[in-house]
Amino acid sequence: MINGELQLAFWCDGSLSFTNNVTVQGKPGGYGVVWRSDIDGGVPSTPTVFKSRGFYVNKAYSIQHMEMAAICQALAKAIELASKVSFERCRVVVFTDSKSSVDRINLGVGSTLTGFYNAHTEPLTKAIICQSHKLDQLGCLVELNWVPRCATEALKLADKLAGRWSEDDADVCQHRQTLDMRDSVADRLHSEIKLRGQGALHVRTSKYQRKRAKKNAMMRKQNAQTLASVHHRASSKAKHRRGGRGRHFR
């Protein structure tokens, strides 16, 4: 607590099992959240140690998917902690090393955003915005800050936790539990994320198919015109030759 202000600090990081930026099939990934708060056991106290959690995601669609899931998870924890005590002022500070995720959140939500990337990250963006409003109602000031990768010990720990997606750890892997029993934000939003992403792919595919069909029709028309022109020239040459031979034999 600084100058009577309750402090909640979070460090977030995400990890993927593939090197490509985006995959529409979805592959394993994970994210880690590290926090230090002035609340211990429901009462204000002096923070002494970091607390942390790692989360496994069976189908991750991009690195931003995991990074934003970590931010969303941090805000969910902040709401949980802030709801336990009464305070006059509270500051929630979230640190992430993903500038692209910060940029995506700043874009907000809306029908004008198109493409698979914007579509599958929109549910997380919406959740983060709603969580920020909830914290504001609780009297908390929320800050989201970008920092370089592994710039602090807390970020290094978050990075390590995010990479534990490959471990069969009960604290990380919750896929054996029903959705209502999981505390992973990514799991709870998975259906909506998948639905939005598939919807964007369907729109993109439909547009591509229409464009491709139009292009094929134009090519067929051009080919037909070319063949007709070639046939006309060939016929003209044949007539000319026959006429020439006739005059020669006379």
Side-chain angles (χ1 to χ4, degrees), residues 7-11 74 91-95 141-145:
Q7 301 286 319
L8 302 176
F10 297 85
W11 294 264
R91 183 181 297 271
V92 177
V93 186
V94 180
F95 298 95
L141 175 65
V142 181
E143 294 182 8
L144 178 60
N145 298 315

Side-chain angles (χ1 to χ4, degrees), residues 142-188:
V142 181
E143 294 182 8
L144 178 60
N145 298 315
W146 174 84
V147 289
R149 186 173 184 269
C150 295
T152 65
E153 290 300 320
L155 274 176
K156 290 179 182 178
L157 178 56
D159 180 74
K160 183 178 180 180
L161 288 169
R164 288 176 57 194
W165 55 265
S166 60
E167 299 178 16
D168 190 16
D169 191 302
D171 187 48
V172 176
C173 303
Q174 300 183 1
H175 54 280
R176 296 186 184 88
Q177 302 177 17
T178 58
L179 282 176
D180 59 325
M181 295 298 294
R182 301 178 189 179
D183 60 357
S184 168
V185 170
D187 282 333
R188 294 186 178 185

Side-chain angles (χ1 to χ4, degrees), residues 44-183:
S45 65
T46 302
T48 55
V49 295
F50 289 111
K51 297 182 180 180
S52 60
R53 279 292 307 275
F55 297 87
Y56 168 88
V57 177
N58 187 40
K59 284 188 178 293
Y61 299 103
S62 69
I63 184 62
Q64 290 79 15
H65 177 190
M66 294 294 91
E67 298 282 3
M68 292 174 66
I71 295 170
C72 194
Q73 193 76 48
L75 293 179
K77 187 64 180 180
I79 292 172
E80 176 190 335
L81 293 172
S83 300
K84 291 181 178 180
V85 296
S86 58
F87 50 83
E88 293 184 3
R89 292 179 299 163
C90 176
R91 183 181 297 271
V92 177
V93 186
V94 180
F95 298 95
T96 177
D97 62 1
S98 175
K99 189 177 184 303
S100 57
S101 296
V102 176
D103 293 339
R104 175 62 187 92
I105 294 169
N106 288 333
L107 278 177
V109 296
S111 58
T112 57
L113 299 175
T114 59
F116 177 77
Y117 171 73
N118 286 321
H120 88 275
T121 52
E122 183 164 305
L124 287 165
T125 304
K126 185 185 296 184
I128 290 169
I129 293 172
C130 291
Q131 289 170 321
S132 299
H133 288 315
K134 176 64 176 178
L135 286 166
D136 181 66
Q137 292 172 357
L138 290 172
C140 299
L141 175 65
V142 181
E143 294 182 8
L144 178 60
N145 298 315
W146 174 84
V147 289
R149 186 173 184 269
C150 295
T152 65
E153 290 300 320
L155 274 176
K156 290 179 182 178
L157 178 56
D159 180 74
K160 183 178 180 180
L161 288 169
R164 288 176 57 194
W165 55 265
S166 60
E167 299 178 16
D168 190 16
D169 191 302
D171 187 48
V172 176
C173 303
Q174 300 183 1
H175 54 280
R176 296 186 184 88
Q177 302 177 17
T178 58
L179 282 176
D180 59 325
M181 295 298 294
R182 301 178 189 179
D183 60 357

